[in-house]
Amino acid sequence: MTLVSFRQVQDPRPKLKNSSIPVLIMRGQADNQKWAYTREFMDLFTNHQLVIVPQAGHFIYLEQPERYINTIKEFLRR
């Protein structure tokens, strides 16, 4: 219920800015969300790895479940 809680939760972005924590950002090749949202995460987390998942939209875990899990496992191994 993220949209419901937007007004109730303090914005965490100021505390996360310039964090050196490695972050995996996954985006489906056919995602219907604006690139600006992905770009915001890329700018916020400078130590990121962006993976574009072919033949997937916004719900990568449903459309490409094996690729989704394998990408996460590979990222965590590093």
Side-chain angles (χ1 to χ4, degrees):
M1 305 288 290
T2 304
L3 290 175
V4 174
S5 65
F6 275 165
R7 294 186 183 131
Q8 300 169 359
V9 177
Q10 186 177 2
D11 185 357
R13 291 173 291 189
K15 291 181 181 178
L16 294 171
K17 190 162 181 63
N18 299 320
S19 170
S20 62
I21 297 170
V23 173
L24 173 63
I25 301 171
M26 296 176 70
R27 180 179 172 91
Q29 182 180 23
D31 195 329
N32 62 353
Q33 300 298 305
K34 295 179 182 179
W35 261 99
Y37 298 119
T38 303
R39 172 49 84 196
E40 182 178 6
F41 282 110
M42 293 169 63
D43 291 343
L44 184 63
F45 299 104
T46 55
N47 187 12
H48 69 267
Q49 177 186 350
L50 173 64
V51 175
I52 305 297
V53 180
Q55 300 177 356
H58 188 65
F59 299 102
I60 301 167
Y61 61 94
L62 294 175
E63 299 164 290
Q64 293 287 340
E66 188 173 329
R67 184 171 287 183
Y68 177 78
I69 295 297
N70 288 340
T71 301
I72 294 170
K73 286 180 179 179
E74 182 181 324
F75 176 79
L76 292 173
R77 277 191 214 108
R78 294 180 184 175

